[in-house]
Amino acid sequence: MDNHLAKYKAFVKTVEKGSFTRAAEALNYAQSSVSKMIADLESDWGVTLLERNRNGVFLTTAGEQILPLIRRVLNGNSELEGYVNQMNGIQSGTVRIGTFASVAVNWLPNIFARLQEDYPEIEYEMLIGNYGEIERWIAEGRVDCGFLSLPTSADFDTAVLKRDEYMVIMPVGHPLAQNETVKIEALEGEPFLLLEHGGKTEVSALLEKSRVHPKIRFTTWEDFAIMAMAEQNLGIGILPSMILKRIPYEIEIRPLETPYYREIGIAVKDKGRLTPAAQKFTEYLKFREIPATNFL
């Protein structure tokens, strides 16, 4: 890799990992090499990019301003390399994907396995976060594409991939489990485990729309934590059906009497600027379960 690009990559990876040591491990470099490359950038540009202390490294104001520009350079280089490889008949590259847990656990492994059969040289990097984090990663260029609940930012190019039904989960033997479906009004006043983080999500919207007010005992973005607490008779939750496959918890699962869905989609910052590897990945998604609509 060009020396300047190696330094840029070391800087970005150090920011993402929060330390020189973890960045070096990810890049397969010596820790001293990563530290020196960033020091070289700071010396060349006459600015301090990172503050160092015992807890790790943090961006300075100058670093915050420069980071998106460096990401743009690295993304442009990946795009260039991808097209050169494509012209030479080489299908390779790295696809960086932002996703949330249920897609990462129950959908992507199958997609990766099938893609590997046709494109064994393509590699994948996966970042798991909530909707807000994934939107930010797409906007900043940290990922090539992201799975999100639609609608999302109007600045993104998006496509619907799947409708995912929300289900009520509850402790074994709960009175509401006697019915085949659960009325949303039956949750009024019930101890509740809320799936939410960094802003209101579909479950909050459903409760507000239905004017139902359960007793919120715990709030978390971790689906499995909600299942574990429901198993221990700490409350009822509402989770997407995708995450409820092959679970190890002993809980009751029932659909709502009036079905409630989220639309899972794929989003990119600019479909015209995708690398060939990312294009292959997004094109493949068109043929999974529910085809995407006019994406590329």
Side-chain angles (χ1 to χ4, degrees):
M1 180 184 292
D2 177 89
N3 191 40
H4 288 295
L5 292 175
K7 292 177 181 178
Y8 297 165
K9 192 169 185 178
F11 171 59
V12 171
K13 190 61 68 175
T14 300
V15 172
E16 292 176 354
K17 297 295 184 180
S19 82
F20 293 114
T21 301
R22 290 194 292 270
E25 291 172 352
L27 296 170
N28 200 26
Y29 291 163
Q31 187 271 340
S32 57
S33 297
V34 172
S35 181
K36 184 178 185 307
M37 283 191 283
I38 294 174
D40 287 345
L41 288 178
E42 292 177 324
S43 177
D44 291 343
W45 294 339
V47 298
T48 300
L49 299 172
L50 298 172
E51 294 287 353
R52 294 99 163 144
N53 63 33
R54 287 182 297 179
N55 296 321
V57 296
F58 307 90
L59 282 169
T60 63
T61 299
E64 290 178 351
Q65 294 172 341
I66 287 174
L67 178 62
L69 301 177
I70 290 181
R71 280 202 171 113
R72 198 177 305 163
V73 170
L74 291 174
N75 291 344
N77 182 71
S78 295
E79 186 178 2
L80 172 61
E81 287 183 343
Y83 279 108
V84 171
N85 287 336
Q86 190 177 54
M87 286 187 287
N88 288 305
I90 303 170
Q91 298 289 351
S92 65
T94 299
V95 184
R96 300 163 304 159
I97 303 160
T99 184
F100 45 93
S102 53
V103 169
V105 171
N106 292 302
W107 205 1
L108 284 180
N110 179 55
I111 292 173
F112 291 154
R114 297 197 178 197
L115 274 168
Q116 188 126 27
E117 294 178 4
D118 296 326
Y119 309 106
E121 299 302 316
I122 294 180
E123 298 179 351
Y124 305 92
E125 291 181 5
M126 188 166 59
L127 293 179
I128 299 178
N130 58 56
Y131 299 149
E133 289 170 329
I134 297 167
E135 288 177 335
R136 187 174 72 251
W137 294 338
I138 296 170
E140 293 174 350
R142 187 172 177 183
V143 297
D144 299 303
C145 57
F147 289 89
L148 289 168
S149 176
L150 301 181
T152 182
S153 169
D155 295 331
F156 299 156
D157 292 319
T158 63
V160 176
L161 299 174
K162 179 182 177 66
R163 295 182 81 206
D164 191 19
E165 184 176 1
Y166 273 91
M167 311 290 282
V168 179
I169 68 162
M170 64 195 90
V172 172
H174 193 282
L176 291 179
Q178 296 176 8
N179 303 316
E180 293 185 1
T181 62
V182 177
K183 293 182 178 182
I184 189 66
E185 294 81 8
L187 302 185
E188 182 71 34
E190 287 284 337
F192 196 77
L193 311 167
L194 180 62
L195 183 69
E196 185 176 280
H197 176 74
K200 294 179 180 178
T201 54
E202 293 96 340
V203 176
S204 295
L206 171 62
L207 295 173
E208 288 188 8
K209 178 182 177 182
S210 305
R211 298 182 179 178
V212 172
H213 307 90
K215 295 178 182 178
I216 308 298
R217 281 192 168 176
F218 298 95
T219 300
T220 177
W221 185 247
E222 176 50 63
D223 313 77
F224 295 103
I226 288 181
M227 288 183 245
M229 288 188 283
E231 184 181 48
Q232 295 301 317
N233 201 29
L234 295 175
I236 296 173
I238 298 178
L239 295 177
S241 58
M242 184 183 288
I243 201 66
L244 295 173
K245 299 176 182 177
R246 303 191 304 274
I247 60 173
Y249 305 99
E250 293 186 11
I251 55 177
E252 303 278 7
I253 302 172
R254 298 290 186 275
L256 287 160
E257 184 177 74
T258 302
Y260 183 63
Y261 300 89
R262 65 175 174 177
E263 287 194 331
I264 299 175
I266 189 75
V268 302
K269 188 174 182 179
D270 181 353
K271 63 185 179 183
R273 296 295 304 274
L274 286 176
T275 66
Q279 285 182 2
K280 291 292 182 184
F281 176 74
T282 55
E283 286 171 1
Y284 183 81
L285 295 177
K286 294 179 182 181
F287 305 102
R288 309 312 307 154
E289 298 190 34
I290 297 178
T293 53
N294 301 323
F295 189 51
L296 293 176

